[in-house]
Amino acid sequence: MEVSSTVLAVTESSQAGHARRTAAALAARLGFNEEAQGKVAIVVSEAAKNLVAHARGGGHILLRALHEGPHVGLEVLALDKGPGMADVDRCLRDGYSTAGTSGVGLGAIRRMASLFDIHSVPGVGTAVLAQLWADKPPPAARVEVGAVCVPMPGEEVCGDSWAVDFKQGRFFALVADGLGHGPEAARASRAAVVSFLEQGSSELVELMRGAHQELRSTRGAAVAFASVEGARLHFAGVGNIAAAIVSPGAIQRLVSMNGTLGHQAHRMQQFSYTWSPGDTLVMCSDGLATQWRLDPYPGLLARHPSLVAGVLYRDFARGRDDATVLVAREVSGGSAP
């Protein structure tokens, strides 16, 4: 299953049209009917026009296919480093505009989407999230997940991969970064995902050993696993996958061992950390700068994990490597698949 995002630069009006057509074509391939394709086209068109009209230098639209059991959907992220919004609620009202436009963009996106969320900081930028489903949306999950997985500029495939799963009632997450970039890096990282999804073990070190064997025929990868079990989060990593537990006003960086899975992994060890309701797990490949932080973004931790992933990618991607951000948070009242 493809987990990477399609990235579309939008700096002028002709690129807005390209973004709309690309999104509609992706929706058609995913099985959206004509009416649902039309909603996708409107959402992406309005998001792109907002980037051209309001964001200094434009921005980017990221498209990602969603698969939740039998449910198929499309996620749209619009990211910019423009002037931001001092009053988001006012900007969501139809008819309000700061650029001389009709001022219906954000309101139209919110009406069309099954899930809509937004985060904006004046002087920093805006991130807009919309999710649309081919049929009806899936039931609320126990864990909300957001992810951005983007190939290095100039590459058609991403050398990173990620996956989430429930094993024996516990939530598990994986991020893998194949050595280098391009198709061979993608083969390595995807081998780690296949091993993870096929194994029945709920022990992280055992999952790591299985992936280590699976990757021996590849160039290798940095790989990290995390699982949540009650009030504890368990983590095991080999290589430079950065991970942290983030809560309001605090961040706990997680420990990973040196090495390359599939080649040199002399030490595999699980570490356990306190996990509290409302905590957020963030896992990143080294396509993101290591000094990423969330405290400069008031209110972001309360937003959907996809917005958190999008903002971190927007502001901390190095731009010279594949980049992946996986964000997960437990939701009260949700259920495991």
Side-chain angles (χ1 to χ4, degrees):
M1 177 175 62
E2 183 60 56
V3 297
S4 62
S5 305
T6 300
V7 183
L8 303 167
V10 180
T11 59
E12 46 89 13
S13 57
S14 67
Q15 291 173 317
H18 173 66
R20 172 181 52 78
R21 292 188 293 272
T22 301
L26 176 56
R29 292 197 299 272
L30 291 172
F32 281 58
N33 61 30
E34 287 190 11
E35 180 182 356
Q37 291 174 40
K39 289 183 178 181
V40 168
I42 291 171
V43 164
V44 173
S45 178
E46 294 296 335
K49 286 190 291 186
N50 274 349
L51 291 178
V52 173
H54 301 288
R56 291 189 297 264
H60 292 84
I61 287 180
L62 277 60
L63 306 174
R64 180 170 69 90
L66 302 173
H67 299 273
E68 296 285 346
H71 304 276
V72 178
L74 180 64
E75 180 175 275
V76 180
L77 269 174
L79 308 173
D80 71 66
K81 295 184 178 182
M85 307 176 195
D87 188 341
V88 171
D89 290 337
R90 187 181 183 193
C91 293
L92 286 171
R93 298 174 197 154
D94 285 350
Y96 177 79
S97 173
T98 59
T101 62
S102 59
V104 297
L106 291 176
I109 295 171
R110 181 166 60 174
R111 286 192 299 274
M112 295 288 176
S114 297
L115 184 150
F116 173 86
D117 206 355
I118 186 170
H119 183 266
S120 189
V121 177
V124 176
T126 299
V128 177
L129 166 68
Q131 290 183 353
L132 302 95
W133 297 88
D135 191 6
K136 61 182 180 180
R142 193 176 88 197
V143 179
E144 281 186 335
V145 175
V148 170
C149 185
V150 173
M152 185 180 83
E155 292 287 350
E156 293 186 0
V157 296
C158 186
D160 296 349
S161 292
W162 63 273
V164 296
D165 196 13
F166 279 87
K167 298 176 184 286
Q168 301 177 19
R170 288 164 54 188
F171 172 77
F172 286 76
L174 158 74
V175 172
D177 178 358
L179 194 64
H181 48 82
E184 289 304 308
R187 188 168 80 86
S189 65
R190 289 171 183 175
V193 169
V194 169
S195 173
F196 165 63
L197 295 177
E198 288 183 345
Q199 291 187 70
S201 175
S202 61
E203 298 301 319
L204 298 191
V205 173
E206 289 302 313
L207 292 172
M208 188 74 72
R209 288 173 180 155
H212 185 50
Q213 292 300 319
E214 188 75 24
L215 267 66
R216 286 194 180 279
S217 63
T218 74
R219 60 172 56 176
V223 180
F225 296 91
S227 70
V228 176
E229 184 178 20
R232 305 294 290 173
L233 181 137
H234 309 295
F235 182 81
V238 170
N240 51 0
I241 302 296
I245 300 171
V246 186
S247 56
I251 182 169
Q252 171 71 65
R253 303 281 181 176
L254 311 186
V255 176
S256 188
M257 299 289 99
N258 292 327
T260 301
L261 215 63
H263 294 275
Q264 294 182 332
H266 302 299
R267 186 179 179 190
M268 302 179 190
Q269 184 174 350
Q270 173 181 295
F271 297 88
S272 295
Y273 303 87
T274 300
W275 177 261
S276 302
D279 282 350
T280 297
L281 170 68
V282 180
M283 301 172 69
C284 307
S285 70
D286 68 350
L288 256 69
T290 56
Q291 78 274 15
W292 63 264
R293 300 163 53 201
L294 290 178
D295 50 286
Y297 308 98
L300 181 58
L301 271 178
R303 312 263 45 104
H304 191 279
S306 287
L307 280 185
V308 180
V311 168
L312 287 175
Y313 166 75
R314 180 193 70 191
D315 291 353
F316 294 100
R318 297 180 188 273
R320 59 180 186 271
D321 198 358
D322 308 308
T324 295
V325 189
L326 172 65
V327 181
R329 182 188 308 123
E330 287 188 295
V331 180
S332 61
S335 60

